[in-house]
Amino acid sequence: MHAWKVCWRVDGASADLLARWRQDGRLQLTDTGETIPWLCPSHPANLQYEKDALRELLTRYAVDGVHLDYIRY
């Protein structure tokens, strides 16, 4: 099995969680300063969040590989 992980995307997150992430500066900003529904890859908590998700995937499932989609920033 080859897992496909979309990185940084937060589709389906609750309004409360998005508001908390926005307040904590964890969402990406556009060139005009608007937040968009993507976690900012340069925020240390977001990097840890992604690493923890991958660690869980690798320890819970017998995957043969992982494709990290949208990893670029």
Coordinates of all heavy atoms in Angstrom, one line a residue:
M1 N 0.8 -1.2 0.0 CA 0.0 0.0 0.0 C 0.9 1.2 0.0 O 1.9 1.3 0.7 CB -0.9 0.0 1.2 CG -1.8 1.2 1.3 SD -3.0 1.1 2.6 CE -2.5 2.5 3.6
H2 N 0.5 2.2 -0.8 CA 1.2 3.5 -0.9 C 0.3 4.6 -0.4 O -0.7 4.8 -1.1 CB 1.7 3.7 -2.3 CG 2.6 4.8 -2.5 ND1 4.0 4.6 -2.6 CD2 2.4 6.1 -2.7 CE1 4.6 5.8 -2.7 NE2 3.7 6.7 -2.8
A3 N 0.6 5.2 0.7 CA -0.3 6.2 1.2 C 0.0 7.6 0.5 O 1.1 7.9 0.2 CB -0.1 6.4 2.7
W4 N -1.1 8.4 0.4 CA -1.0 9.7 -0.2 C -1.4 10.7 0.9 O -2.6 10.7 1.3 CB -2.0 9.8 -1.4 CG -1.7 10.9 -2.3 CD1 -1.9 12.3 -2.0 CD2 -1.3 10.9 -3.6 NE1 -1.6 13.0 -3.1 CE2 -1.2 12.2 -4.1 CE3 -0.9 9.9 -4.5 CZ2 -0.8 12.6 -5.4 CZ3 -0.5 10.2 -5.7 CH2 -0.5 11.5 -6.2
K5 N -0.5 11.5 1.3 CA -0.7 12.5 2.4 C -0.7 13.9 1.8 O 0.3 14.3 1.3 CB 0.4 12.3 3.5 CG 0.4 13.4 4.5 CD -0.7 13.3 5.5 CE -0.5 14.2 6.7 NZ -1.1 15.5 6.5
V6 N -1.8 14.6 1.9 CA -1.9 16.0 1.5 C -1.5 16.8 2.7 O -2.1 16.8 3.7 CB -3.3 16.4 1.0 CG1 -3.3 17.9 0.7 CG2 -3.7 15.5 -0.1
C7 N -0.4 17.5 2.6 CA 0.2 18.3 3.7 C -0.3 19.7 3.8 O -0.6 20.3 2.7 CB 1.7 18.3 3.5 SG 2.5 16.7 3.5
W8 N -0.5 20.2 5.0 CA -0.8 21.5 5.3 C -2.3 21.9 5.1 O -2.8 22.9 5.6 CB 0.1 22.6 4.6 CG 1.5 22.2 4.6 CD1 2.2 22.0 3.4 CD2 2.4 21.9 5.7 NE1 3.5 21.6 3.8 CE2 3.6 21.6 5.2 CE3 2.2 22.0 7.0 CZ2 4.7 21.3 6.0 CZ3 3.3 21.7 7.8 CH2 4.5 21.4 7.3
R9 N -3.1 21.2 4.4 CA -4.5 21.5 4.0 C -5.3 21.2 5.2 O -5.2 20.2 5.9 CB -4.9 20.6 2.9 CG -6.2 21.0 2.3 CD -6.1 22.2 1.4 NE -7.4 22.5 0.8 CZ -7.7 23.7 0.3 NH1 -6.8 24.6 0.2 NH2 -8.9 23.9 -0.2
V10 N -6.3 22.1 5.5 CA -7.2 22.0 6.7 C -8.7 21.9 6.3 O -9.5 22.3 7.1 CB -6.9 23.1 7.7 CG1 -5.5 23.0 8.2 CG2 -7.1 24.5 7.1
D11 N -9.0 21.4 5.1 CA -10.4 21.3 4.7 C -11.1 20.4 5.7 O -10.6 19.4 6.2 CB -10.5 20.6 3.3 CG -10.2 21.6 2.2 OD1 -10.1 22.8 2.4 OD2 -10.1 21.1 1.1
G12 N -12.3 20.8 6.1 CA -13.1 20.1 7.0 C -12.9 20.4 8.5 O -13.5 19.9 9.4
A13 N -11.9 21.3 8.8 CA -11.6 21.7 10.2 C -12.8 22.5 10.7 O -13.4 23.3 9.9 CB -10.3 22.5 10.3
S14 N -13.1 22.4 11.9 CA -14.2 23.1 12.5 C -13.9 24.6 12.5 O -12.7 25.0 12.5 CB -14.5 22.7 13.9 OG -13.5 23.1 14.8
A15 N -15.0 25.4 12.6 CA -14.8 26.9 12.6 C -14.0 27.3 13.9 O -13.2 28.2 13.8 CB -16.1 27.6 12.6
D16 N -14.2 26.6 15.0 CA -13.5 26.9 16.2 C -12.0 26.6 16.1 O -11.2 27.4 16.5 CB -14.1 26.1 17.4 CG -15.5 26.5 17.8 OD1 -15.9 27.6 17.5 OD2 -16.1 25.7 18.5
L17 N -11.7 25.5 15.5 CA -10.3 25.1 15.3 C -9.6 26.1 14.3 O -8.5 26.6 14.6 CB -10.2 23.7 14.8 CG -8.7 23.1 14.6 CD1 -8.0 23.2 15.9 CD2 -8.8 21.7 14.1
L18 N -10.3 26.5 13.2 CA -9.7 27.4 12.3 C -9.5 28.8 13.0 O -8.4 29.4 12.8 CB -10.6 27.6 11.1 CG -10.5 26.5 10.1 CD1 -11.6 26.7 9.0 CD2 -9.2 26.3 9.4
A19 N -10.4 29.2 13.8 CA -10.3 30.5 14.6 C -9.1 30.4 15.5 O -8.3 31.4 15.6 CB -11.6 30.8 15.3
R20 N -8.9 29.3 16.2 CA -7.8 29.1 17.1 C -6.5 29.1 16.3 O -5.5 29.8 16.7 CB -7.9 27.8 17.9 CG -6.9 27.7 19.0 CD -7.2 26.5 19.9 NE -8.5 25.8 19.6 CZ -8.6 24.5 19.6 NH1 -7.7 23.7 19.9 NH2 -9.8 24.0 19.3
W21 N -6.4 28.4 15.2 CA -5.2 28.4 14.4 C -4.9 29.8 13.8 O -3.8 30.3 13.8 CB -5.3 27.4 13.3 CG -5.1 26.0 13.7 CD1 -4.4 25.6 14.8 CD2 -5.5 24.8 13.0 NE1 -4.4 24.2 14.8 CE2 -5.0 23.7 13.7 CE3 -6.2 24.6 11.8 CZ2 -5.3 22.4 13.3 CZ3 -6.4 23.3 11.4 CH2 -6.0 22.2 12.2
R22 N -5.9 30.5 13.4 CA -5.8 31.9 12.9 C -5.2 32.8 14.0 O -4.2 33.5 13.8 CB -7.1 32.4 12.4 CG -7.0 33.8 11.8 CD -8.3 34.3 11.2 NE -8.7 33.4 10.0 CZ -9.7 32.5 10.1 NH1 -10.5 32.4 11.2 NH2 -10.0 31.8 9.0
Q23 N -5.8 32.7 15.2 CA -5.3 33.5 16.4 C -3.9 33.2 16.7 O -3.1 34.1 17.1 CB -6.2 33.3 17.6 CG -5.9 34.1 18.8 CD -6.8 33.8 20.0 OE1 -7.7 33.0 19.8 NE2 -6.5 34.4 21.1
D24 N -3.5 31.9 16.6 CA -2.1 31.5 17.0 C -1.1 31.7 15.8 O 0.0 31.4 16.0 CB -2.1 30.0 17.3 CG -2.9 29.8 18.6 OD1 -3.1 30.7 19.4 OD2 -3.2 28.6 18.9
G25 N -1.6 32.3 14.7 CA -0.7 32.6 13.6 C -0.2 31.3 12.9 O 0.8 31.3 12.2
R26 N -1.1 30.3 12.9 CA -0.7 29.0 12.3 C -1.2 28.8 10.8 O -0.8 27.9 10.2 CB -1.2 27.9 13.1 CG -0.5 27.8 14.4 CD -0.9 26.6 15.3 NE -0.7 25.4 14.6 CZ -0.9 24.2 15.2 NH1 -1.4 24.1 16.4 NH2 -0.7 23.1 14.5
L27 N -2.0 29.8 10.3 CA -2.5 29.7 9.0 C -1.7 30.5 8.0 O -1.0 31.5 8.4 CB -4.0 30.1 8.9 CG -5.0 29.3 9.7 CD1 -6.4 29.9 9.5 CD2 -5.0 27.9 9.3
Q28 N -1.6 30.1 6.7 CA -0.9 30.8 5.7 C -1.6 32.1 5.4 O -2.8 32.2 5.6 CB -0.8 30.0 4.4 CG 0.1 28.8 4.6 CD 0.4 28.1 3.2 OE1 0.4 28.8 2.2 NE2 0.5 26.8 3.3
L29 N -0.8 33.1 5.0 CA -1.3 34.4 4.6 C -1.1 34.6 3.1 O 0.0 34.2 2.6 CB -0.6 35.5 5.4 CG -0.8 35.4 6.9 CD1 0.1 36.5 7.6 CD2 -2.2 35.6 7.3
T30 N -2.0 35.3 2.5 CA -1.8 35.7 1.1 C -0.9 37.0 1.1 O -0.6 37.5 2.2 CB -3.1 36.1 0.4 OG1 -3.7 37.2 1.1 CG2 -4.1 34.9 0.5
D31 N -0.6 37.4 -0.1 CA 0.2 38.6 -0.2 C -0.5 39.9 0.3 O 0.2 40.9 0.6 CB 0.7 38.8 -1.6 CG -0.4 39.0 -2.6 OD1 -1.6 38.6 -2.3 OD2 -0.2 39.4 -3.8
T32 N -1.8 39.8 0.5 CA -2.6 40.9 1.0 C -2.9 40.8 2.5 O -3.6 41.6 3.1 CB -3.9 41.1 0.2 OG1 -4.7 39.9 0.4 CG2 -3.6 41.4 -1.2
G33 N -2.3 39.7 3.1 CA -2.5 39.5 4.6 C -3.8 38.7 5.0 O -4.1 38.6 6.1
E34 N -4.5 38.2 4.0 CA -5.7 37.4 4.3 C -5.2 36.0 4.6 O -4.3 35.4 4.0 CB -6.6 37.3 3.0 CG -7.0 38.6 2.5 CD -8.2 39.2 3.3 OE1 -9.0 38.4 3.9 OE2 -8.2 40.4 3.4
T35 N -5.9 35.3 5.6 CA -5.6 34.0 5.9 C -6.3 33.0 4.9 O -7.4 33.4 4.4 CB -6.0 33.6 7.3 OG1 -7.4 33.8 7.5 CG2 -5.2 34.4 8.4
I36 N -5.6 31.9 4.6 CA -6.2 30.9 3.8 C -6.2 29.6 4.5 O -5.4 29.4 5.4 CB -5.5 30.8 2.4 CG1 -4.0 30.5 2.6 CG2 -5.7 32.1 1.6 CD1 -3.2 30.3 1.3
P37 N -7.1 28.6 4.1 CA -7.2 27.4 4.9 C -6.1 26.4 4.6 O -6.3 25.3 4.1 CB -8.6 26.9 4.4 CG -8.8 27.4 3.0 CD -8.1 28.7 3.1
W38 N -4.9 26.8 4.9 CA -3.7 26.0 4.8 C -2.9 26.3 6.1 O -2.7 27.4 6.4 CB -2.9 26.3 3.6 CG -3.5 25.9 2.3 CD1 -4.5 26.6 1.6 CD2 -3.3 24.7 1.5 NE1 -4.8 25.9 0.5 CE2 -4.1 24.8 0.4 CE3 -2.4 23.7 1.7 CZ2 -4.0 23.8 -0.6 CZ3 -2.4 22.7 0.7 CH2 -3.2 22.8 -0.4
L39 N -2.3 25.3 6.7 CA -1.4 25.5 7.8 C -0.1 26.1 7.2 O 0.4 25.7 6.1 CB -1.1 24.2 8.5 CG -2.2 23.6 9.3 CD1 -1.8 22.3 9.9 CD2 -2.6 24.6 10.5
C40 N 0.6 26.9 7.9 CA 1.8 27.6 7.5 C 3.0 26.6 7.8 O 3.2 26.3 9.0 CB 2.0 28.9 8.2 SG 3.6 29.7 7.8
P41 N 3.7 26.1 6.8 CA 4.8 25.2 7.0 C 5.9 25.7 7.8 O 6.7 24.9 8.4 CB 5.3 24.9 5.6 CG 4.2 25.3 4.7 CD 3.5 26.4 5.3
S42 N 6.1 27.0 8.0 CA 7.2 27.5 8.7 C 6.9 27.7 10.2 O 7.8 28.0 11.0 CB 7.6 28.9 8.2 OG 6.6 29.9 8.3
H43 N 5.6 27.4 10.6 CA 5.3 27.4 12.0 C 5.7 26.1 12.7 O 5.3 25.0 12.3 CB 3.8 27.6 12.2 CG 3.4 28.1 13.5 ND1 3.3 27.2 14.6 CD2 3.0 29.2 14.0 CE1 2.9 27.8 15.7 NE2 2.7 29.1 15.4
P44 N 6.5 26.2 13.8 CA 7.0 24.9 14.4 C 5.9 24.0 14.9 O 6.0 22.7 14.7 CB 7.8 25.4 15.6 CG 8.1 26.8 15.3 CD 7.0 27.4 14.4
A45 N 4.8 24.5 15.3 CA 3.7 23.6 15.8 C 3.1 22.8 14.6 O 2.6 21.7 14.7 CB 2.6 24.4 16.5
N46 N 3.0 23.5 13.4 CA 2.4 22.9 12.2 C 3.4 21.8 11.7 O 2.9 20.7 11.3 CB 2.2 23.9 11.2 CG 1.1 24.8 11.6 OD1 0.3 24.6 12.5 ND2 1.0 26.0 10.9
L47 N 4.7 22.0 11.8 CA 5.6 21.0 11.3 C 5.5 19.8 12.2 O 5.5 18.7 11.8 CB 7.0 21.6 11.4 CG 8.2 20.7 11.0 CD1 8.0 20.1 9.5 CD2 9.5 21.4 11.1
Q48 N 5.4 20.0 13.5 CA 5.2 18.9 14.5 C 3.9 18.1 14.2 O 3.9 16.9 14.3 CB 5.3 19.4 15.9 CG 5.4 18.3 16.9 CD 6.6 17.4 16.8 OE1 7.7 18.0 16.8 NE2 6.5 16.1 16.7
Y49 N 2.9 18.9 13.9 CA 1.6 18.3 13.6 C 1.7 17.3 12.4 O 1.2 16.2 12.5 CB 0.6 19.4 13.3 CG -0.8 19.0 13.0 CD1 -1.7 18.7 14.0 CD2 -1.3 19.0 11.7 CE1 -3.0 18.4 13.7 CE2 -2.6 18.7 11.4 CZ -3.5 18.3 12.4 OH -4.8 18.0 12.1
E50 N 2.3 17.7 11.4 CA 2.5 16.9 10.2 C 3.4 15.7 10.5 O 3.1 14.6 10.1 CB 3.1 17.7 9.0 CG 2.2 18.7 8.4 CD 1.0 18.1 7.6 OE1 1.0 16.8 7.4 OE2 0.1 18.8 7.2
K51 N 4.5 15.9 11.2 CA 5.4 14.8 11.6 C 4.6 13.8 12.4 O 4.8 12.6 12.3 CB 6.6 15.4 12.3 CG 7.5 16.1 11.3 CD 8.6 16.9 12.0 CE 9.5 16.3 13.0 NZ 10.5 17.2 13.5
D52 N 3.8 14.2 13.4 CA 3.1 13.3 14.2 C 2.1 12.5 13.4 O 1.9 11.3 13.7 CB 2.3 14.1 15.3 CG 3.3 14.6 16.4 OD1 4.5 14.2 16.4 OD2 2.8 15.5 17.2
A53 N 1.4 13.2 12.4 CA 0.5 12.4 11.6 C 1.2 11.4 10.8 O 0.7 10.2 10.6 CB -0.2 13.4 10.7
L54 N 2.3 11.7 10.3 CA 3.1 10.7 9.5 C 3.6 9.6 10.4 O 3.6 8.4 10.0 CB 4.3 11.3 8.8 CG 3.9 12.2 7.6 CD1 5.1 13.1 7.2 CD2 3.4 11.4 6.5
R55 N 4.0 9.9 11.6 CA 4.5 8.9 12.5 C 3.3 7.9 12.9 O 3.5 6.7 12.9 CB 5.0 9.5 13.8 CG 5.7 8.6 14.8 CD 6.3 9.3 16.0 NE 7.4 10.1 15.5 CZ 7.5 11.4 15.5 NH1 6.4 12.1 16.0 NH2 8.5 12.1 15.1
E56 N 2.1 8.5 13.1 CA 1.0 7.6 13.4 C 0.7 6.7 12.2 O 0.4 5.5 12.3 CB -0.2 8.5 13.7 CG -1.5 7.7 14.0 CD -2.7 8.5 14.4 OE1 -2.5 9.7 14.6 OE2 -3.8 7.9 14.5
L57 N 0.7 7.3 11.0 CA 0.5 6.5 9.8 C 1.4 5.3 9.7 O 1.1 4.2 9.4 CB 0.6 7.4 8.5 CG 0.6 6.7 7.2 CD1 -0.8 6.1 6.9 CD2 1.0 7.6 6.1
L58 N 2.7 5.6 9.9 CA 3.8 4.6 9.8 C 3.7 3.5 10.9 O 4.2 2.4 10.6 CB 5.1 5.2 9.7 CG 5.4 6.1 8.5 CD1 6.7 6.9 8.6 CD2 5.3 5.3 7.2
T59 N 3.2 3.9 12.0 CA 3.2 2.9 13.1 C 1.9 2.1 13.2 O 1.9 1.0 13.7 CB 3.4 3.6 14.5 OG1 2.4 4.6 14.7 CG2 4.8 4.2 14.6
R60 N 0.8 2.6 12.6 CA -0.5 1.9 12.6 C -0.7 1.1 11.4 O -1.5 0.1 11.5 CB -1.6 2.9 12.8 CG -1.6 3.6 14.1 CD -2.8 4.6 14.3 NE -3.9 3.8 14.6 CZ -5.2 4.3 14.7 NH1 -5.4 5.5 14.5 NH2 -6.2 3.5 15.1
Y61 N -0.1 1.4 10.3 CA -0.4 0.7 9.1 C 0.9 0.2 8.4 O 1.9 0.9 8.5 CB -1.1 1.6 8.1 CG -2.4 2.2 8.7 CD1 -2.4 3.5 9.3 CD2 -3.5 1.4 8.8 CE1 -3.6 4.0 9.9 CE2 -4.7 1.9 9.4 CZ -4.7 3.2 9.9 OH -5.8 3.7 10.5
A62 N 0.8 -0.9 7.7 CA 1.9 -1.5 7.0 C 2.0 -0.9 5.6 O 1.6 -1.5 4.6 CB 1.8 -3.0 6.9
V63 N 2.5 0.3 5.5 CA 2.6 1.0 4.2 C 3.9 0.7 3.6 O 4.9 0.5 4.2 CB 2.4 2.5 4.3 CG1 1.0 2.8 4.8 CG2 3.4 3.1 5.2
D64 N 3.9 0.6 2.2 CA 5.1 0.4 1.5 C 5.8 1.7 1.1 O 7.0 1.7 0.7 CB 4.8 -0.4 0.2 CG 4.3 -1.8 0.6 OD1 4.9 -2.5 1.4 OD2 3.2 -2.1 0.0
G65 N 5.1 2.8 1.2 CA 5.6 4.1 0.8 C 4.6 5.2 1.1 O 3.4 4.9 1.4
V66 N 5.1 6.4 1.2 CA 4.2 7.6 1.4 C 4.5 8.7 0.4 O 5.7 9.0 0.2 CB 4.5 8.1 2.9 CG1 3.6 9.4 3.1 CG2 4.2 7.1 3.9
H67 N 3.5 9.2 -0.2 CA 3.6 10.3 -1.1 C 3.2 11.6 -0.4 O 2.1 11.6 0.1 CB 2.7 10.1 -2.3 CG 2.7 11.3 -3.3 ND1 3.5 11.3 -4.4 CD2 2.1 12.4 -3.3 CE1 3.3 12.5 -5.0 NE2 2.5 13.2 -4.4
L68 N 4.1 12.5 -0.2 CA 3.8 13.8 0.4 C 3.4 14.8 -0.6 O 4.2 15.4 -1.3 CB 5.0 14.3 1.2 CG 5.4 13.3 2.3 CD1 6.7 13.9 3.0 CD2 4.3 13.0 3.3
D69 N 2.1 15.1 -0.7 CA 1.6 16.0 -1.7 C 1.5 17.4 -1.1 O 1.2 17.5 0.1 CB 0.2 15.5 -2.2 CG -0.2 16.1 -3.5 OD1 0.6 16.9 -4.1 OD2 -1.3 15.8 -4.0
Y70 N 1.7 18.4 -1.9 CA 1.6 19.8 -1.4 C 2.7 20.1 -0.4 O 2.5 21.0 0.4 CB 0.2 20.2 -0.9 CG -0.8 20.3 -2.0 CD1 -1.6 19.2 -2.3 CD2 -1.0 21.5 -2.7 CE1 -2.5 19.2 -3.4 CE2 -1.9 21.5 -3.8 CZ -2.7 20.4 -4.1 OH -3.6 20.5 -5.1
I71 N 3.8 19.3 -0.3 CA 4.8 19.6 0.6 C 5.6 20.9 0.3 O 6.1 21.5 1.2 CB 5.8 18.3 0.7 CG1 6.6 18.4 2.0 CG2 6.6 18.2 -0.5 CD1 5.9 18.2 3.3
R72 N 5.5 21.3 -0.9 CA 6.3 22.5 -1.3 C 5.6 23.7 -0.7 O 4.4 23.7 -0.3 CB 6.3 22.6 -2.8 CG 4.9 22.8 -3.4 CD 5.0 22.6 -4.9 NE 3.7 22.7 -5.5 CZ 2.8 21.7 -5.5 NH1 3.0 20.6 -4.9 NH2 1.6 21.9 -6.1
Y73 N 6.3 24.8 -0.5 CA 5.8 26.0 0.1 C 6.2 27.2 -0.7 O 7.4 27.3 -1.1 CB 6.3 26.1 1.5 CG 6.0 27.3 2.3 CD1 4.6 27.7 2.5 CD2 6.9 28.1 2.8 CE1 4.3 28.8 3.2 CE2 6.6 29.2 3.6 CZ 5.3 29.6 3.7 OH 5.0 30.7 4.5

